[in-house]
Amino acid sequence: MSQRFVVTPAAEEPRGAGPEDSPGREPEAPREDALPILRYCREPSRYGDGTPRESSPFINSVEVERDTFLAGRNMAQEGFCEGKNMALFEEEMDSNPMVSSLLNKLANYTNLSQGVVEHEEDEDRRRRESKAPHMGTFIGVYLPCLQNILGVILFLRLTWIVGVAGVLESLLIVSVCCTCTMLTAISMSAIATNGVVPAGGSYYMISRSLGPEFGGAVGLCFYLGTTFAGAMYILGTIEIFLTYISPSAAVFRAEVAGGEAAAMLHNMRVYGSCTLALMAAVVFVGVKYVNKLALVFLACVVLSILAIYAGVIKTAFDSPDIPVCLLGNRTLSWLSFDVCAKEHPGLNGTATTALWGLFCNGSAPSATCDEYFTQNNLTVIQGIPGVASGVVLDNLWSTYMDKGSFVEKEGTPSVPAPDEARASSLPYVLTDIMTHFTLLVGIYFPSVTGIMAGSNRSGDLRDAQKSIPTGTILAIATTSFIYLSCVVLFGACIEGVVLRDKFGEALQGKLVIGMLAWPSPWVIVIGSFFSTCGAGLQSLTGAPRLLQAIARDGIIPFLQVFGHGKANGEPTWALLLTALICEIGILIASLDSVAPILSMFFLMCYMFVNLACAVQTLLRTPNWRPRFKYYHWTLSFLGMSLCLALMFICSWYYALCAMLIASCIYKYIEYRGAEKEWGDGIRGLSLNAARYALLRVEHGPPHTKNWRPQVLVMLNLDAEQAVKHPRLLSFTSQLKAGKGLTIVGSVLEGTYLDKHAEAQRAEENIRSLMAMEKTKGFCQLVVSSSLRDGTSHLIQSAGLGGMKHNTVLMAWPEAWRQTDNPLSWKNFVDTVRDTTAAHQALLVAKNVDLFPQNQERFSDGNIDVWWVVHDGGMLMLLPFLLHQHKVWRKCRMRIFTVAQVDDNSIQMKKDLQMFLYQLRISAEVEVVEMVENDISAFTYEKTLMMEQRSQMLKQMQLSKNEREREAQLIHDRNTASHSAVAAKTQAPPTPDRVQMTWTKEKLVTEKHKIKDASTGGFKDIFNLKPNQSNVRRMHTAVKLNGVVLSKSQDAQLVLLNMPGPPKNRQGDENYMEFLEVLTEGLNRVLLVRGGGREVITIYS
């Protein structure tokens, strides 16, 4: 786990010390590096983006009047402050105006314009070595790829594709698909040679290059594609068997005319399921036997291809006699008749043929016949005229047809017939599906998808880095040549109507490509049968291993059971799941329906392989050092674009479905899967994007419209490094709702070398609490010689570049009065000063342990905002942000502001309502009037007790126990005076008691009575006179606290302006007492102190 600590030097180095004097130490950066930010923040006129049309009437406008204000300040300061109730905020009046002043200006404003952490987990868990034989390039990669690529489509569909699309468009389809796979193979070769590729092949390459989310999503899609490919190969095997080898073996027969297709689908399901069970049993026995069978199957494939080329050569000299019967220009299915004629000579003259009986209602010459049959003649043409016949000119162009159309020969005379209602029951060759270019691309593309067959078995290879590139590229080059040459040769040798006859009905039910072969059609039939069997076995071998690799990575919890297997490593459970999924494809039973589904999954996998290579190349990561040098990012990008285009060319709705499935898997892995750090390219891409974005936002502070609290949460830790106030993180989550920057900081006192282990434990505790509270952010721990310095370091240095915090959130030090921790209040006041100097907002949560948890819900209540001075609008923004969270959603927002004697409270309320309307914030508005009155005796007593305590602790050298007794004595006197004042409201004053009011005249008179009574070497602290400024501040705190209690005692949360600490550091302890009095009696209080800039705007 990576940690981030800030360690500062305890003292400045001597001037003569430099890098050469201390080689192990990095030179300090010049101090000027950090100053421009502070200087910039101190210039209010430069806040925002500098757009003059949105100049603010709030803070910046105060600067215009500052000179005038300061000129008369010395003359009128005493009179200005004495008669006001806001003396607690008097030192901030020059920068933070009163709300009444703000609203007055608003009303008159008219310008409304890594290193790898787990190291692949090889040290923790090593995969057990498989006992399968370690194979080389030829046996392990080249032959499996060749076998998968030269599969079912070549023998069953390529002639039909050439006949429908024409030679030219067929060449385009084949070229585009082969180019796509070749570019993918180049990218795959670069990835495969960039390190060891264990079991898992393509999944391993994608996941380690693009991360576990992308790797798992694409890996599962590729697994589904490979599994459905096994179903497609099995369906192809059964189609060859039932159509061309043994049609009589069909279990289901057509009972009515036109029912042959439905019966065929049922037969495919029965035989396909049996074949799947047999192949799964073979794979279960072991991959070694599959490899042995593969050699036999591949020999059949090679012989079949050689037979095709031999047949083409033979047609140049001696074309075979393969008759095709045409009625007019329509091709007839030569299955139910023997002679292509209407009549033939018999013993008693002319007799009708079987074909006559099919088109007429009887065999008699006088029978009523089909009109088209009557008006058109029967002709016989050669189905394979030969390569020298010139038929290629007729087959150059496409002939796309609708479902149920007649397969017609162009250029042959024909008399059309009006009534074609009985066409489906007549022996015509009809199209079974509607054809168009995109459909043919989707059907053909699975024929080039075998390129991953070798990489899927990378765990069985002797040297995967060498074998995968060499074998895959050679296999693609070989098969591309075969496909392209076959397209041209088929178009040059075979008649167009025969090419468009998908099942060879015009050839008496024989395989079209088999009729071209030499020496016998059975060479092709048997060869294609075993070829599809072998491809199915290869798919059932590779898919379980792919699933096993995904399961063993542990990124998808519910798949972990499929990572187990037999003692020799064979994936038993994965094979079982693969067989079940494959059965789904077999139940579809249509080869043309399954093929486009495969195309989507394979194209998605290939697209991400190209993306992985392009990302790694462009990022230039140090670990990207592939041995395969013949790659370039432009080729990978071209391959990725081509894959994406082919997905939507094949089927836009299938493409969207595949992307939806991949997206769901991606989000599931992201949400539930174990976090993995594999040094993937997406992580590197994220780092580059983050760097780019940080450099972009470095130029200046964000505009007011984009401002949101970027919070630094200061946590306190106990002796066990546990968080003292976990509710502070709950409040952070409620305030942020996952948006913006959150830095959770804490300070450990000591030296880093001594506290390293404790720092790690503390950071782990904080991170676990952040996860529990669902706080999205970063943890930053500082080890410093003192808590004060560490807090200051965090405020200065937390964040990076433009992603720095602008708000500090901390808890109120509840134990600041305890004498065993005399520096707690001192650290707090200094932190307030630090945030002010850094122009950062400060939020102080008082009684933070009473704040709600994320699971709680307030069904009613108010969020009360007491807006005393305007310091940027934080008080307006924070309740709005809290209201977005479920905890505070049902609370109402109320805004109170304070009017004094010379303020027009009615106009203030109207102006405030208009201001909230322009801010688009819904809230109740109330203006509270605080009239001038005499300072009460209670206020005087509170101030006196506060100063007595402060002077006592400073002047008397007491032990810890004595200090506790003295502090308790002062607390008791304070409580007694409070009770006395309460009693005075009901009883007349007595001469020996303090007067009810303390006026200025009485104060002047009392000045001459109080004299120094030095006894024993120190001042009599019980005869101190209270400081006049402290009396006025205490008066403000008491009066304001009374008003807040009267209005907001039952509020769920009270937000209140936090006055700044005194400029004279001698009164820091008094400042803490002022804040205590100000918030006394309130349950949940959030003291808010703005950062000196506008954070909310009325503009759009």
Side-chain angles (χ1 to χ4, degrees), residues 504-728:
E505 298 175 64
L507 304 181
Q508 300 178 358
K510 296 179 181 178
L511 185 61
V512 175
I513 195 173
M515 302 304 293
L516 177 64
W518 181 88
S520 170
W522 286 102
V523 175
I524 297 295
V525 173
I526 300 301
S528 62
F529 178 79
F530 285 112
S531 170
T532 51
C533 283
L537 283 173
Q538 295 290 347
S539 297
L540 291 178
T541 302
R545 282 166 170 72
L546 185 61
L547 181 62
Q548 185 183 46
I550 298 173
R552 285 183 173 179
D553 269 336
I555 59 175
I556 304 178
F558 69 84
L559 288 182
Q560 291 183 358
V561 65
F562 299 106
H564 306 295
K566 294 191 297 185
N568 62 351
E570 292 297 317
T572 307
W573 293 106
L575 177 61
L576 180 61
L577 180 64
T578 301
L580 293 176
I581 298 176
C582 191
E583 177 66 20
I584 297 175
I586 289 175
L587 293 178
I588 296 176
S590 174
L591 186 67
D592 298 326
S593 299
V594 174
I597 299 176
L598 309 185
S599 300
M600 294 303 109
F601 290 126
F602 283 121
L603 280 168
M604 181 171 291
C605 178
Y606 297 166
M607 180 177 68
F608 280 98
V609 169
N610 286 291
L611 175 63
C613 182
V615 166
Q616 296 280 25
T617 306
L618 289 175
L619 289 179
R620 299 177 182 175
T621 52
N623 190 54
W624 180 247
R625 302 183 302 273
R627 289 195 178 96
F628 183 80
K629 302 299 181 183
Y630 306 101
Y631 70 95
H632 195 266
W633 69 268
T634 54
L635 296 177
S636 300
F637 187 79
L638 178 61
M640 181 184 66
S641 304
L642 195 57
C643 290
L644 185 62
L646 283 175
M647 287 181 67
F648 284 92
I649 287 174
C650 294
S651 174
W652 64 268
Y653 47 87
Y654 276 166
L656 293 179
C657 291
M659 289 181 175
L660 179 63
I661 293 173
S663 301
C664 293
I665 299 173
Y666 177 95
K667 295 305 293 183
Y668 177 80
I669 296 174
E670 186 180 52
Y671 178 70
R672 292 292 304 275
E675 293 184 0
K676 300 289 182 180
E677 172 54 62
W678 287 332
D680 50 87
I682 293 297
R683 183 64 59 90
L685 190 62
S686 301
L687 291 175
N688 270 19
R691 171 183 168 274
Y692 175 77
L694 284 174
L695 292 176
R696 287 288 302 272
V697 300
E698 177 72 13
H699 299 305
H703 191 274
T704 302
K705 291 184 289 187
N706 296 325
W707 195 95
R708 66 167 61 245
Q710 318 284 7
V711 182
L712 170 64
V713 186
M714 300 298 301
L715 294 181
N716 296 323
L717 304 176
D718 57 18
E720 300 298 327
Q721 283 74 47
V723 178
K724 285 186 178 180
H725 303 293
R727 297 289 181 95
L728 202 60

Side-chain angles (χ1 to χ4, degrees), residues 1029-1063:
S1029 176
N1030 288 340
V1031 172
R1032 287 186 285 104
R1033 283 179 166 82
M1034 184 63 74
H1035 177 62
T1036 300
V1038 171
K1039 290 290 292 181
L1040 193 55
N1041 176 256
V1043 173
V1044 173
L1045 280 177
S1046 65
K1047 299 288 185 180
S1048 303
Q1049 190 167 15
D1050 297 330
Q1052 301 292 3
L1053 179 64
V1054 176
L1055 286 85
L1056 186 63
N1057 279 115
M1058 179 180 180
K1063 295 180 179 179

Side-chain angles (χ1 to χ4, degrees), residues 1012-1025:
D1012 293 340
S1014 302
T1015 304
F1018 60 89
K1019 188 184 300 183
D1020 184 3
I1021 61 174
F1022 296 104
N1023 292 324
L1024 285 174
K1025 70 167 184 177

Side-chain angles (χ1 to χ4, degrees), residues 350-368:
T350 303
T352 58
T353 61
L355 190 58
W356 180 280
L358 294 175
F359 281 91
C360 303
N361 58 5
S363 59
S366 60
T368 303

